[in-house]
């Protein structure tokens, strides 16, 4: 009987040891699984962010008509596609994030020619012309960085604009774009003149004077990707946003440019054919 009890106790001890060893093994396996899962998740997140960065870069590429004079200039915070023959940009493009719209840097910078760029206009080409030096990338979008703001005063980023446009409807559109960037976290913004063969020239520098300007906006990372365009006359523009809103397809038609070609074809066709301003306003 005593031997039987000893055997039972020995079996219980052995079972307890096995149970404890098994529990420790299970704990170690759980820890290893958790570490591996975290590492995999971080790797996936890194790849996702890397993919987003690559997508951003490709979305900021604008295809211009063949034969267009075009020099691509990368400044701090934005890119200019410059036309040396017209002495104005073909367009400017940049990403505007919600965080950047909260910048607090005071306005700093003076208009100056970019000596490294052939055909760049000079500030005095606008003197007594009746036109203001209109930023294509606005100062208000660059309050997050003093150097970026100073770069925006390069004449490569400037077009002749009537005061009634520059300080009126165009300025209101720029303010609205900043509101949308805060709401949607990030936007791709493309801005420029509508280039036509009958543009007037001004000053000794023979700077081309556009009759209209466009702005194309893409919200690529929201719950629902969407895009919209705007066409403004180079003059009084006091009507509501809805009056100037158009589809991206329409802007492409009148400029000959191709925007957001990096998107899958079916998505590009869908968002570029619409201009539902209510989606943006609400």
């Amino acid at each position: 009987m005593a031997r039987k009890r000893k055997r039972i106790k020995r079996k219980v001890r052995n079972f307890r040891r096995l149970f404890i060893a098994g529990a420790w093994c299970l704990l170690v396996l759980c820890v290893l699984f958790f570490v591996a899962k975290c590492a995999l998740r971080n790797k996936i997140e890194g790849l996702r962010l890397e993919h987003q960065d690559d997508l951003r870069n490709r979305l900021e590429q604008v295809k211009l008509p063949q034969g267009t004079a075009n020099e691509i200039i990368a400044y701090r915070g934005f890119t200019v596609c410059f036309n040396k023959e017209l002495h104005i940009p073909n367009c400017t493009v940049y990403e505007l994030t919600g965080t950047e719209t909260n910048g607090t840097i005071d306005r700093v910078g003076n208009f100056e020619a970019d000596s490294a760029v052939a055909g760049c206009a000079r500030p005095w080409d606008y003197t007594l012309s009746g036109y203001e030096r209109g930023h294509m990338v606005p100062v208000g979008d660059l309050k997050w960085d003093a150097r970026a703001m100073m770069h925006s005063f390069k004449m490569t980023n400037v077009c002749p604009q009537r005061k009634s446009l520059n300080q009126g409807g165009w300025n209101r559109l720029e303010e609205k774009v900043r509101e949308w960037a805060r709401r949607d976290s990030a936007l791709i913004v493309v801005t420029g003149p509508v280039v036509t063969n009958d543009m007037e020239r001004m000053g000794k520098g023979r700077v081309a004077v556009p009759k209209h300007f466009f702005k194309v906006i893409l919200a690529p990372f929201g719950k629902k990707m969407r895009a919209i365009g705007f066409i403004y006359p180079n003059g009084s523009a006091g009507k509501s946003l809805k009056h100037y809103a158009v589809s991206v397809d329409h802007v492409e038609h009148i400029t000959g440019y191709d925007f957001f070609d990096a998107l899958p074809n079916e998505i590009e066709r869908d968002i570029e054919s619409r201009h539902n301003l209510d989606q943006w306003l609400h």
Side-chain angles (χ1 to χ4, degrees):
M1 193 68 177
R3 290 179 180 177
K4 187 176 181 179
R5 283 199 295 270
K6 287 182 179 179
R7 284 198 301 269
I8 292 173
K9 287 182 180 180
R10 189 162 50 249
K11 288 180 180 181
V12 169
R13 284 195 301 270
N14 291 338
F15 177 78
R16 188 180 297 161
R17 291 192 190 100
L18 289 172
F19 177 79
I20 293 172
W24 274 107
C25 288
L26 181 60
L27 178 62
V28 170
L29 287 174
C30 288
V31 170
L32 291 174
F33 175 77
F34 178 76
V35 171
K37 184 178 179 181
C38 288
L40 180 61
R41 184 172 59 194
N42 290 337
K43 184 176 181 179
I44 292 173
E45 180 67 13
L47 290 173
R48 186 181 70 82
L49 292 175
E50 182 179 341
H51 175 70
Q52 280 198 2
D53 287 340
D54 179 62
L55 178 60
R56 285 187 180 96
N57 292 333
R58 289 186 290 122
L59 287 175
E60 291 182 19
Q61 296 175 10
V62 180
K63 291 185 177 180
L64 306 184
Q66 189 173 4
T68 302
N70 186 52
E71 180 178 354
I72 299 175
I73 311 159
Y75 291 112
R76 171 73 168 163
F78 63 96
T79 299
V80 171
C81 299
F82 187 73
N83 192 315
K84 66 179 181 180
E85 297 175 357
L86 301 176
H87 314 293
I88 57 175
N90 293 310
C91 66
T92 62
V93 58
Y94 61 105
E95 181 187 38
L96 179 64
T97 68
T99 302
E100 288 171 346
T101 65
N102 296 322
T104 58
I105 295 174
D106 293 332
R107 185 182 177 101
V108 57
N110 295 303
F111 289 107
E112 63 177 358
D114 190 330
S115 58
V117 179
C120 183
R122 299 158 300 181
W124 51 86
D125 287 328
Y126 286 64
T127 303
L128 301 178
S129 67
Y131 293 95
E132 294 191 343
R133 304 175 187 93
H135 286 79
M136 294 296 96
V137 179
V139 172
D141 289 358
L142 301 171
K143 291 182 177 180
W144 53 274
D145 187 89
R147 187 159 66 95
M149 186 182 293
M150 293 179 69
H151 283 177
S152 76
F153 282 90
K154 297 289 187 182
M155 295 300 292
T156 46
N157 181 47
V158 170
C159 281
Q161 285 187 329
R162 291 291 187 186
K163 181 178 180 179
S164 55
L165 174 65
N166 191 29
Q167 300 185 27
W170 193 252
N171 182 60
R172 289 191 293 273
L173 174 60
E174 291 171 343
E175 291 174 349
K176 187 60 68 174
V177 170
R178 286 189 279 275
E179 288 182 21
W180 295 337
R182 285 189 286 272
R183 181 189 63 192
D184 294 320
S185 77
L187 301 174
I188 304 297
V189 185
V190 189
T191 307
V194 177
V195 174
T196 56
N197 293 327
D198 60 346
M199 289 187 296
E200 296 179 0
R201 299 289 187 126
M202 70 175 200
K204 292 182 178 180
R206 303 288 294 161
V207 178
V209 181
K211 295 182 178 180
H212 294 85
F213 291 90
F214 74 85
K215 192 179 288 289
V216 168
I217 306 156
L218 172 70
F221 305 121
K223 291 183 179 179
K224 183 174 178 58
M225 185 182 295
R226 61 191 183 281
I228 195 168
F230 294 89
I231 301 290
Y232 275 73
N234 195 1
S236 180
K239 297 181 180 180
S240 67
L241 281 178
K242 191 171 185 179
H243 182 79
Y244 307 103
V246 296
S247 67
V248 175
D249 278 343
H250 181 72
V251 180
E252 290 183 332
H253 175 71
I254 66 173
T255 61
Y257 298 175
D258 186 7
F259 307 103
F260 316 132
D261 183 61
L263 294 174
N265 290 334
E266 63 277 10
I267 295 177
E268 184 182 6
R269 283 193 298 267
D270 179 58
I271 66 172
E272 290 189 355
S273 64
R274 304 170 183 268
H275 67 281
N276 187 350
L277 185 60
D278 288 339
Q279 286 186 338
W280 293 83
L281 296 179
H282 305 294

